[in-house]
């Protein structure tokens, strides 16, 4: 509605109007506010003058008043600064795209999430999820603080029984993930994520202790840092990840605004102290080497995830410095002195301080330190130099170096310019020591260390190994006096170093899941002492002493078992894992000049000190590869699915009036792979006799799952399941037993499971081949003879593209119908992949490994053909060297390692011992023995080489299974068959057990179309006793499948075998000559 215009008299006050009249025109509420403002100003003046009046009244010194004013001024300045920083950070986060273009960035870390770099990915979708879920996260935090944390605090202290959280508000501003960098190339069993976190929040949390009228709280927090998240182990079952581990590689930056009584923590001095204490608390469980591990599946080695084996050890030689700044001045600077320098070195939480050198600007320290490196890239060496003074030491400079650079170079001997100083350089020698799971090089390491000890001036000798102790649990510890439960803790001692576990209160079956690492000078002479004590350290609950020499003789220098405790109860025992690793300096992989970080490596910001000499690396080409310590650690699980019994009948006819049977089959799941057996029609006691082989990594929590189903037209019915722990299988190595099916009323399954031993003895090859060829399974699987590990490290001198540019090279590794590809390496004629692969091998004398190099999987850059028989003549069945590439430049080569491990089944070993008792005379040489195994004493009907004889032949295996009371005949293949027409025959084999000629003694194979060398690999069983089998003659006919109207010849050849002449218990597998007349 439009207002009427006012008159001039109403619009302007009269000239003679008094000020009081004008004031009376003010609104009543404005006058009230003005009065309150005046009173508040008066009150503040009285409050400021009151301490001065009271100081004079009580006779206090004016210095106390001045000190109070000084503290208040410092507090006010610090608080205003924090508030300004918090408001500025909030404004920038909310207005990134407006603010950022107007700013000048000093480092990549300042860049916002909407700026993308190839190595750090933006994750705005994650920030949207966090923003949406932030109120609900706040509700969860409030519930956690009020219902869980507050009661635990009240019960912990009598003084805090009235503590309550009066307000818990996370505010509206959610935490932001500025960027994510993923690493997947270091270990195939894990995913590493680096999350760059930035949080400037208006969080408000208030606490009140009513008993003391005390209020405190937090209003506003800034937190910036890099959080590493590791998803491991990757498993083949939901949730696909066994555990989530997270930690900060370096301490994050923290800024807190306090309220209430904690306002005092904003006083200068207390401010830094409080933030440091909080950061120490965070570091105690979230900054390396501490990790927060959240297991997602059961039966995990949480201690090994929380404290995994280090990536390596860096040996730091602090040698000298030069041109340091002079900080010691006399007579107020008239006379310039020198400095008394010392160095402080830090890697994570590991800190070392050198001795100081008096009055010297070019000091020589000649000291050595050894540091554990948990994560590369990421961890860095920080070095600071100070001048030693009686009061406060003067700063002389600092440098930083990413330890990932040391790992690549193996050895760095460099001068580094000190930063934040006018002058100065420091000389460091850095060595990367790999961890070897073998004691083969121990003597060489000890000899090297003696030389270092003699030439250096170190207080402690260099270490030859590291020992990691995983303390898991104990059982049946003795009770305390009065039959009370103890509160056990463990002291682990090696030489002069003792470390303690946490205390588990009120139980004699404690679970610690702790880990400790020790440097070992000489593992041949040192012992590990374990003391289990009550929490008062006075009562000993048990003891254990392990000579480290026992570890040296253990597989992979590891002992993982229960140990019986001494000076304890009769059933008291403790489960511990000891892992020893020899420290090895791989001199063959040393670079001849300093290495610079490759693009994409390290942090978001540059990790190289500006003072460090950055030179393009010139490689001194290593003679051998340097794979990770986990290389060739995989094994083969052999699963023999035999049979099942007493399964549930699921097929009902006529609406259930007529009860039928089931058509069972089995699904097998393990290690992310699945297998499905054949369906056995209408049988509640099916026999499958199928074999499966799986290459697995020994990961905690893995299981082999068997599920049985009844095959139906619509939905298959469930017949039961069973799960077997892979860890138990590896411990047992071999198991042959019946397993009761779960989740059903009845049913059991017969399984033969074996974690096949790996050997490097080539003399076992013939025996393994002989045993494997005698085996026959209905799914036509032939057991593998060996496991081949291939490590493709690098190539050199690859040809350029036609355009003259460097190629983007990748390597494809293949064997028969299995192939793998490496990642592609951008624009280089000397790419480095560092990738490992593995293959199952059925015959090392015939199989060939092929490696093809190409540009982006198109243009060929060269190839390598490596027959595996070459490995059989090498020591330990290993080839590790440079190979020339075919179809490339003369200088083009590839460096790879091929390692063959024979799969020596326990069944094969037992078969060999039986064979030896039957056919190998004592005293004969092993060559004669293996020759006898290949050419067993049988009627001379064949066995001749087909290439030399040219005769038509057929390969059969005949054996008697005492366990199953069956005669087993396996038809393998034929060769050199005759052809009576222009097309090859459609071949099949029929046979009969004479003298009986009936339906039960006749069998025939499937038809193989148009083949003169058909392969069948089919097994046929006859239920009979051994005595009956020895009375039979086996007549086998090879035939051509033709129609009854055809004029082609049906019979291609036949053979008759007298089974009484064969050793049926041991079994025979050989080629037989075919003829048209009965032999």
């Amino acid at each position: 509605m439009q207002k009427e215009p006012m008159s001039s008299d109403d619009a302007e006050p009269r000239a003679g109007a008094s000020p009081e009249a004008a004031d009376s025109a003010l609104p009543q509420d404005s006058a009230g506010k003005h009065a309150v403002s005046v009173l508040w100003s008066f009150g503040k003046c009285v409050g400021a003058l009151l301490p001065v009046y009271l100081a004079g009244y009580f006779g206090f010194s004016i210095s106390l008043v001045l000190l109070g004013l000084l503290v208040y001024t410092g507090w006010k300045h610090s608080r205003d600064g924090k508030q300004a920083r918090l408001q500025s950070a909030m404004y920038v986060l909310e207005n990134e795209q407006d603010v950022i273009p107007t700013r000048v960035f000093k480092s990549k870390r300042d860049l916002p999430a909407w700026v993308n770099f190839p190595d750090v990915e933006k994750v705005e979708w994650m920030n949207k999820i966090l923003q949406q879920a932030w109120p609900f996260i706040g509700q969860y935090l409030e519930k956690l603080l009020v219902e869980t944390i507050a009661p635990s605090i009240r019960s912990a202290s009598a003084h805090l029984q009235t503590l309550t959280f009066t307000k818990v508000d996370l505010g509206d501003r959610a935490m932001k993930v500025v960027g994510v960098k993923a690493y997947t190339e270091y270990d195939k069993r894990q995913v590493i994520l680096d999350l760059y976190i930035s949080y400037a929040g208006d969080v408000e949390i208030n606490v009140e202790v009513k008993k003391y009228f005390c209020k405190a709280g937090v209003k506003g927090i800034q937190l910036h840092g890099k959080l590493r998240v590791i998803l491991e182990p990757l498993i083949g079952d939901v949730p696909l990840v066994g555990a989530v581990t997270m930690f900060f590689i370096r301490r994050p930056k923290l800024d807190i605004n306090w309220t209430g009584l904690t306002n005092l923590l904003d006083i200068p001095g207390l401010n830094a102290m409080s933030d440091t204490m909080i950061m120490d608390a965070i570091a105690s469980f979230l900054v390396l080497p501490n990790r927060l591990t959240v297991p997602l599946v059961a039966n995990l080695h949480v201690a090994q995830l929380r404290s995994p084996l280090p990536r390596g050890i860096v040996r730091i030689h602090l040698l000298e410095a030069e041109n340091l700044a002079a900080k010691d001045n006399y007579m107020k600077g008239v006379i310039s002195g020198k400095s008394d320098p010392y160095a402080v070195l830090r890697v994570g939480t590991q800190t070392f301080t050198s001795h100081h050198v008096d009055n010297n600007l070019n000091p020589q320290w000649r000291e050595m330190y050894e540091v554990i490196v948990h994560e590369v890239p990421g961890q860095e060496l920080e070095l600071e130099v100070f001048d030693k003074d009686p009061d406060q030491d003067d700063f002389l400079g600092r440098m930083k170096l990413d330890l990932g650079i040391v790992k690549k170079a193996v050895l760095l001997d460099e001068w580094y310019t000190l930063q934040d100083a006018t002058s100065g350089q420091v000389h460091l020698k850095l060595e990367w020591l790999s961890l070897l799971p073998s004691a083969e090089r121990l003597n060489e390491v000890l000899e090297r260390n003696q030389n270092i000890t003699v030439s250096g001036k170190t207080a402690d000798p260099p270490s030859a190994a590291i020992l990691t102790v995983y303390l898991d649990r104990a059982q049946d510890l003795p009770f305390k006096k009065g039959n009370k439960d103890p509160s056990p803790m463990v002291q682990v001692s090696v030489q002069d170093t003792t470390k303690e576990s946490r205390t588990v209160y009120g139980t004699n079956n404690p679970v610690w899941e702790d880990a400790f690492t020790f440097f070992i000078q000489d593992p041949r002479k040192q012992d590990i002492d374990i003391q289990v004590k009550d929490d008062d350290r006075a009562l000993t609950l048990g003891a254990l002493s392990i000579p480290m020499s026992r570890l040296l003789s253990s597989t992979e220098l590891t002992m993982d078992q229960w140990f019986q405790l001494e000076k304890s109860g009769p059933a008291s025992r403790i489960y511990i894992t000891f892992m020893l690793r020899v420290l090895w300096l791989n001199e063959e992989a040393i670079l001849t000049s300093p290495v610079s970080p490759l693009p994409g490596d390290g942090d978001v910001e540059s990790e190289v000190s500006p003072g460090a000499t950055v030179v393009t690396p010139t490689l001194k080409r290593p003679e051998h590869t340097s794979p990770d310590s986990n290389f060739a650690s995989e094994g083969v699980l052999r699963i023999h699915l035999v049979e099942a019994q007493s399964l549930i009948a699921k097929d009902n006819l006529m609406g259930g009036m007529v009860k039928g049977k089931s058509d069972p089959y089995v699904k097998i799941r393990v290690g992310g792979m699945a297998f499905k057996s054949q369906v056995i029609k209408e049988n509640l006691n099916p026999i499958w006799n199928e074999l499966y082989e799986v290459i697995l990594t020994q990961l905690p929590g893995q299981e082999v799952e068997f599920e049985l189903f009844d095959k139906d037209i619509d939905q298959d019915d469930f017949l039961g399941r069973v799960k077997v722990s892979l860890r138990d299988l590896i411990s047992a190595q071999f198991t042959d037993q019946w397993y009761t099916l779960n989740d059903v009323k009845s049913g059991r399954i017969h399984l033969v499971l074996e974690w096949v031993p790996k050997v490097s003895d080539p003399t076992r090859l013939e025996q393994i081949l002989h045993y494997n060829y005698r085996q026959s399974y209905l799914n036509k699987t032939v057991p593998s003879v060996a496991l081949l590990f291939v490590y493709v490290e690098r190539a050199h001198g690859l040809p350029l593209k036609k355009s003259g540019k460097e190629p983007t090279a990748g390597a494809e590794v293949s064997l028969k119908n299995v192939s793998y590809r490496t990642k592609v390496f951008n624009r280089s004629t000397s790419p480095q992949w560092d990738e490992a692969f593995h293959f199952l091998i059925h015959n090392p004398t015939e199989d060939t490994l092929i490696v093809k190099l190409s540009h982006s999987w198109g243009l060929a850059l060269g190839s390598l053909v490596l027959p595996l028989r070459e490995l059989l003549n090498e020591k330990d069945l290993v080839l590790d060297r440079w190979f020339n590439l075919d179809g490339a430049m003369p200088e083009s080569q590839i460096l790879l390692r091929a390692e063959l491990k024979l799969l020596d089944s326990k069944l094969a070993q037992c078969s060999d011992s039986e064979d030896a008792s039957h056919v190998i005379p004592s005293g004969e040489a092993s060559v004669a023995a293996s020759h006898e195994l290949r050419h067993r004493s049988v009627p001379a009907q064949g066995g001749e080489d087909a290439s030399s004889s040219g005769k038509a032949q057929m390969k059969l295996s005949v054996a008697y299974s005492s366990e199953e009371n069956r005669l087993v005949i396996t038809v393998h293949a034929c060769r050199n068959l005759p052809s009576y027409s222009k097309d090859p025959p459609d071949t099949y084999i029929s046979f009969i057990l004479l003298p009986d000629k009936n339906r039960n003694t006749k069998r025939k194979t499937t038809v193989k179309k148009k083949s003169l060398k058909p392969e069948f690999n089919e097994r046929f069983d006859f239920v009979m006793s051994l005595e009956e089998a020895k009375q039979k003659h086996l007549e086998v006919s090879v035939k051509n499948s033709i129609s009854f109207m055809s004029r082609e010849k049906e019979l291609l050849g036949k053979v008759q075998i007298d089974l009484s002449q064969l050793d049926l218990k041991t079994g025979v597998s050989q080629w037989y000559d075919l003829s048209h007349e009965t032999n």
Side-chain angles (χ1 to χ4, degrees):
M1 184 175 65
Q2 197 171 8
K3 293 184 178 180
E4 294 181 2
M6 295 176 62
S7 66
S8 60
D9 293 340
D10 295 332
E12 297 180 10
R14 291 187 298 272
S18 65
E20 289 79 4
D23 292 339
S24 65
L26 290 171
Q28 191 67 28
D29 57 344
S30 298
K33 290 181 179 179
H34 181 69
V36 170
S37 175
V38 172
L39 289 174
W40 176 245
S41 299
F42 176 75
K44 287 197 292 185
C45 291
V46 171
L49 294 175
L50 184 62
V52 180
Y53 170 76
L54 293 175
Y57 181 80
F58 290 104
F60 293 136
S61 172
I62 192 64
S63 60
L64 291 176
V65 178
L66 295 177
L67 178 63
L69 289 174
L70 184 64
V71 170
Y72 173 78
T73 304
W75 171 82
K76 185 68 174 174
H77 177 75
S78 174
R79 183 161 182 80
D80 291 345
K82 278 190 174 183
Q83 192 68 31
R85 289 195 300 272
L86 182 62
Q87 294 297 331
S88 175
M90 290 179 180
Y91 178 78
V92 169
L93 286 176
E94 290 177 353
N95 304 275
E96 283 180 334
Q97 300 199 23
D98 296 331
V99 175
I100 296 301
T102 64
R103 292 181 54 184
V104 178
F105 301 105
K106 295 183 180 180
S107 68
K108 293 180 184 177
R109 188 186 296 278
D110 295 322
L111 292 176
W114 48 269
V115 179
N116 188 26
F117 286 90
D119 57 341
V120 179
E121 301 175 18
K122 58 183 181 181
V123 283
E124 278 304 292
W125 59 270
M126 185 182 294
N127 292 326
K128 289 179 180 178
I129 293 174
L130 283 173
Q131 184 65 50
Q132 193 79 359
W134 198 247
F136 303 97
I137 296 173
Q139 292 175 18
Y140 170 74
L141 179 64
E142 181 178 9
K143 184 177 180 181
L144 180 69
L145 290 173
V146 173
E147 298 181 6
T148 305
I149 295 179
S152 63
I153 294 175
R154 287 195 291 265
S155 62
S157 174
H159 300 286
L160 299 176
Q161 289 181 351
T162 57
L163 179 140
T164 55
F165 285 93
T166 57
K167 185 174 184 180
V168 179
D169 182 11
L170 282 187
D172 299 326
R173 296 176 177 87
M175 181 181 69
K176 284 198 172 185
V177 180
V178 179
V180 173
K181 183 173 181 180
Y183 305 89
T184 56
E185 62 270 22
Y186 296 102
D187 192 334
K188 300 296 182 183
R189 296 165 294 184
Q190 64 177 202
V191 175
I192 300 176
L193 301 173
D194 281 345
L195 276 62
Y196 298 88
I197 293 174
S198 182
Y199 177 58
D202 51 350
V203 58
E204 185 172 0
I205 301 176
N206 294 328
V207 182
E208 181 179 3
V209 183
K210 296 180 180 178
K211 181 178 180 180
Y212 300 103
F213 304 101
C214 173
K215 295 182 179 181
V218 171
K219 188 174 183 180
I221 294 177
Q222 281 195 73
L223 180 69
H224 307 278
K226 181 170 74 171
L227 180 70
R228 174 158 291 185
V229 179
I230 301 180
L231 309 177
E232 70 167 337
L234 300 180
I235 58 177
D237 203 350
V238 177
L240 302 180
V241 176
V244 178
T245 301
M246 61 189 75
F247 53 87
F248 289 99
I249 292 181
R250 291 181 289 276
R251 289 184 176 228
K253 297 176 182 177
L254 179 68
D255 203 356
I256 301 175
N257 276 359
W258 301 101
T259 61
L261 185 63
T262 47
N263 264 323
L264 296 175
L265 296 178
D266 277 331
I267 296 174
L270 286 179
N271 177 23
M273 187 185 306
S274 64
D275 288 354
T276 301
M277 290 173 63
I278 292 171
M279 279 310 308
D280 287 342
I282 294 175
S284 66
F285 69 96
L286 260 183
V287 178
L288 273 181
N290 304 297
R291 304 166 185 243
L292 177 63
T293 300
V294 181
L296 303 180
V297 297
N299 301 321
L300 281 176
H301 281 298
V302 178
Q304 294 187 21
L305 293 173
R306 192 180 293 126
S307 303
L309 276 176
R311 303 284 185 180
I313 303 296
V314 171
R315 186 173 287 158
I316 304 171
H317 298 268
L318 175 63
L319 302 177
E320 56 189 323
E322 65 179 17
N323 299 326
L324 298 180
K327 292 291 184 178
D328 294 340
N329 299 318
Y330 305 98
M331 298 179 65
K332 296 186 178 180
V334 176
I335 301 176
S336 180
K338 295 188 178 182
S339 291
D340 309 319
Y342 69 94
V344 178
L345 299 92
R346 297 185 187 89
V347 175
T349 57
Q350 304 165 87
T351 303
F352 307 92
T353 303
S354 74
H355 71 279
H356 75 275
V357 180
D358 290 327
N359 203 29
N360 199 326
L361 299 180
N362 301 292
Q364 292 198 6
W365 290 291
R366 305 291 175 187
E367 296 187 9
M368 184 203 73
Y369 313 99
E370 292 172 333
V371 297
I372 299 172
V373 181
H374 298 278
E375 293 293 327
V376 284
Q379 278 193 284
E380 61 186 12
L381 166 67
E382 303 176 43
L383 182 144
E384 292 180 318
V385 184
F386 296 91
D387 167 38
K388 185 73 174 176
D389 283 331
D391 47 2
Q392 184 175 0
D393 297 343
D394 298 314
F395 177 71
L396 297 178
R398 66 166 56 90
M399 60 82 61
K400 291 185 179 181
L401 181 69
D402 193 314
L403 295 178
I405 298 175
V406 184
K407 181 182 179 182
K408 290 179 182 177
V410 180
L411 174 64
L412 283 177
D413 191 345
E414 292 295 322
W415 285 91
Y416 296 92
T417 301
L418 294 174
Q419 302 304 303
D420 303 328
T422 56
S423 65
Q425 288 184 314
V426 63
H427 185 191
L428 297 177
K429 180 181 177 183
L430 306 169
E431 299 171 339
W432 179 269
L433 305 178
S434 303
L435 309 182
L436 300 184
S438 167
E440 293 177 359
R441 299 183 182 270
L442 178 59
N443 291 333
E444 188 176 349
V445 170
L446 291 171
E447 186 176 344
R448 282 185 188 178
N449 289 353
Q450 287 179 353
N451 296 333
I452 295 175
T453 306
V454 171
S455 61
K457 298 179 180 179
T458 58
D460 296 322
S463 301
I466 63 165
L467 171 70
T468 300
V469 180
Y470 293 107
L471 176 64
D472 191 357
R473 66 187 66 206
Q475 288 183 354
D476 299 321
L477 296 179
F479 293 99
K480 295 195 297 184
K481 290 182 179 179
N483 208 28
K484 294 181 179 179
D485 283 324
S487 297
M489 54 79 61
V490 177
Q491 293 177 338
V492 185
S493 302
V494 176
Q495 205 161 343
D496 299 328
T497 305
T498 299
K499 299 186 179 182
E500 293 188 350
S501 74
R502 64 189 182 91
T503 301
V504 181
Y505 293 95
T507 177
N508 69 332
N509 294 294
V511 177
W512 294 286
E513 293 184 335
D514 277 346
F516 313 98
T517 301
F518 300 86
F519 283 101
I520 307 298
Q521 272 75 44
D522 189 349
R524 301 172 303 179
K525 303 176 181 178
Q526 294 176 265
D527 296 336
I528 310 167
D529 293 319
I530 309 289
Q531 297 282 333
V532 184
K533 295 186 176 182
D534 197 28
D535 60 340
D536 59 2
R537 309 314 194 261
L539 176 62
T540 299
L541 303 174
L544 176 67
S545 182
I546 303 290
M548 221 169 291
S549 56
R550 282 183 59 185
L551 273 170
L552 295 176
S553 59
S554 302
T555 304
E556 295 186 345
L557 308 184
T558 300
M559 295 175 67
D560 183 10
Q561 64 185 70
W562 287 99
F563 295 90
Q564 194 69 32
L565 288 171
E566 302 171 358
K567 303 176 183 176
S568 187
S572 299
R573 58 180 188 163
I574 188 169
Y575 196 94
I576 304 180
T577 302
F578 299 103
M579 301 180 71
L580 188 69
R581 293 294 182 265
V582 176
L583 303 182
W584 173 249
L585 175 64
N586 187 6
E587 294 180 337
E588 295 175 350
I590 293 175
L591 303 182
T592 57
S593 62
V595 68
S596 61
L598 297 173
D601 283 355
D603 208 341
V604 177
E605 61 184 357
S606 175
E607 299 291 348
V608 185
S609 299
T613 307
V614 179
V615 184
T616 303
T618 303
L619 292 179
K620 174 188 174 184
R621 288 175 57 193
E623 296 181 8
H624 303 290
T625 61
S626 52
D628 189 79
S629 58
N630 292 322
F631 176 70
S633 61
E634 293 86 355
V636 173
L637 176 65
R638 193 168 282 170
I639 304 170
H640 182 192
L641 173 63
V642 185
E643 57 186 322
Q645 288 182 355
S646 306
L647 299 182
I648 298 175
K650 289 288 186 177
D651 295 339
N652 298 319
L653 306 176
M654 300 178 64
M657 296 177 62
V658 180
K659 196 165 184 67
K661 295 187 178 181
S662 290
D663 307 322
Y665 68 92
V666 182
K667 286 183 179 179
I668 305 172
R669 294 187 181 90
V670 57
M673 287 171 281
F675 306 95
K676 182 179 177 182
S677 75
Q678 63 176 326
V679 178
I680 307 296
K681 293 289 186 180
E682 297 184 1
N683 201 326
L684 299 182
N685 301 289
I687 298 175
W688 287 285
N689 188 33
E690 297 184 8
L691 183 75
Y692 305 94
E693 292 180 325
V694 193
I695 302 175
L696 294 174
T697 304
Q698 300 184 37
L699 296 177
Q702 278 191 304
E703 292 180 321
V704 190
E705 182 179 23
F706 300 86
E707 287 187 317
L708 281 73
F709 294 91
D710 167 40
K711 184 68 177 177
D712 284 329
I713 297 174
D714 47 3
Q715 185 175 0
D716 297 345
D717 297 314
F718 178 69
L719 296 178
R721 70 165 55 90
V722 65
K723 293 182 179 180
V724 184
S725 167
L726 181 63
R727 179 180 178 182
D728 295 340
L729 285 176
I730 294 174
S731 300
Q733 294 286 307
F734 181 87
T735 176
D736 179 356
Q737 68 183 74
W738 287 89
Y739 294 88
T740 301
L741 296 175
N742 298 320
D743 305 326
V744 288
K745 294 180 179 178
S746 69
R748 61 177 189 159
I749 185 170
H750 183 195
L751 301 171
V752 180
L753 306 171
E754 181 176 17
W755 184 258
V756 188
K758 298 180 295 183
V759 299
S760 301
D761 181 7
T763 61
R764 293 288 306 151
L765 177 60
E766 291 295 339
Q767 286 87 342
I768 297 171
L769 280 169
H770 175 73
Y771 171 78
N772 286 2
Y773 281 146
R774 282 165 38 199
Q775 307 310 304
S776 180
Y777 302 94
L778 293 183
N779 61 342
K780 301 180 182 180
T781 299
V782 179
S784 300
V785 171
L787 186 57
L788 175 67
F789 298 96
V790 181
Y791 182 76
V792 183
E793 183 167 301
R794 64 183 74 193
H796 175 75
L798 297 183
L800 299 174
K801 297 192 296 182
K802 292 180 180 180
S803 61
K805 295 182 180 179
E806 294 177 325
T808 300
E812 182 176 9
V813 186
S814 59
L815 194 147
K816 287 191 174 180
N817 58 345
V818 180
S819 64
Y820 301 98
R821 286 181 173 180
T822 67
K823 62 180 181 291
V824 292
F825 197 91
N826 260 338
R827 297 187 180 182
S828 175
T829 58
S830 298
Q832 183 168 347
W833 298 286
D834 294 320
E835 294 195 40
F837 311 100
H838 42 64
F839 302 86
L840 286 172
I841 307 299
H842 290 93
N843 193 341
T845 62
E846 299 176 359
D847 292 341
T848 300
L849 178 72
I850 299 174
V851 183
K852 295 180 180 179
L853 276 65
S854 60
H855 164 68
S856 298
W857 313 119
L859 176 67
L861 300 175
S863 63
L864 168 68
V865 177
L866 179 62
L868 297 189
R869 60 177 176 270
E870 293 185 13
L871 274 73
L872 300 176
N873 300 322
E874 299 293 329
K875 181 184 178 183
D876 297 329
L877 308 183
V878 175
L879 268 175
D880 190 347
R881 60 180 175 85
W882 288 94
F883 295 87
N884 293 322
L885 291 173
D886 298 326
M889 305 286 288
E891 65 273 16
S892 299
Q893 291 183 315
I894 186 171
L895 177 62
L896 63 80
R897 177 186 180 95
E899 184 171 343
L900 196 67
K901 294 288 187 182
L902 300 181
L903 300 175
D904 196 4
S905 169
K906 291 188 179 297
L907 294 174
Q909 297 170 22
C910 295
S911 174
D912 292 340
S913 62
E914 292 177 9
D915 290 351
S917 64
H918 285 292
V919 300
I920 303 178
S922 59
E924 290 189 353
S926 60
V927 175
S930 60
H931 184 272
E932 183 71 14
L933 281 170
R934 289 200 307 272
H935 306 285
R936 197 178 296 276
S937 133
V938 293
Q941 304 172 37
E944 211 177 341
D945 189 359
S947 61
S948 61
S949 68
K951 294 180 180 180
Q953 292 184 324
M954 173 184 59
K955 186 176 182 180
L956 286 178
S957 293
V958 184
Y960 186 83
S961 173
S962 300
E963 295 179 358
E964 301 177 2
N965 293 324
R966 299 170 187 266
L967 176 66
V968 180
I969 299 174
T970 305
V971 181
H972 295 289
C974 297
R975 59 189 180 187
N976 296 334
L977 294 181
S979 179
Y980 299 105
S981 65
K982 58 183 179 182
D983 294 325
D986 297 336
T987 312
Y988 72 96
I989 296 176
S990 67
F991 53 89
I992 185 171
L993 284 175
L994 301 176
D996 301 325
K997 289 188 177 182
N998 55 52
R999 187 176 180 181
N1000 295 329
T1001 60
K1002 291 181 180 180
R1003 299 285 193 276
K1004 71 175 182 177
T1005 68
T1006 56
V1007 178
K1008 301 297 180 182
K1009 296 286 187 180
K1010 300 187 184 324
S1011 176
L1012 296 175
K1013 297 189 295 182
E1015 290 190 6
F1016 301 96
N1017 292 318
E1018 296 185 30
R1019 168 174 165 162
F1020 302 91
D1021 294 2
F1022 298 88
V1023 178
M1024 62 180 64
S1025 65
L1026 180 59
E1027 289 71 21
E1028 289 178 298
K1030 288 183 177 181
Q1031 296 172 8
K1032 303 292 184 183
H1033 285 72
L1034 177 64
E1035 184 177 277
V1036 186
S1037 301
V1038 182
K1039 297 182 179 180
N1040 182 14
S1041 178
I1042 58 175
S1043 65
F1044 72 95
M1045 297 289 293
S1046 175
R1047 294 184 179 181
E1048 290 185 32
K1049 194 171 183 179
E1050 181 183 20
L1051 182 65
L1052 301 178
K1054 63 193 306 185
V1055 65
Q1056 191 175 101
I1057 305 169
D1058 185 357
L1059 299 187
S1060 65
Q1061 299 297 314
L1062 302 183
D1063 186 354
L1064 296 179
K1065 280 190 175 180
T1066 304
V1068 175
S1069 179
Q1070 73 169 58
W1071 290 94
Y1072 293 88
D1073 292 340
L1074 298 174
S1075 67
H1076 296 294
E1077 300 296 333
T1078 302
N1079 291 324

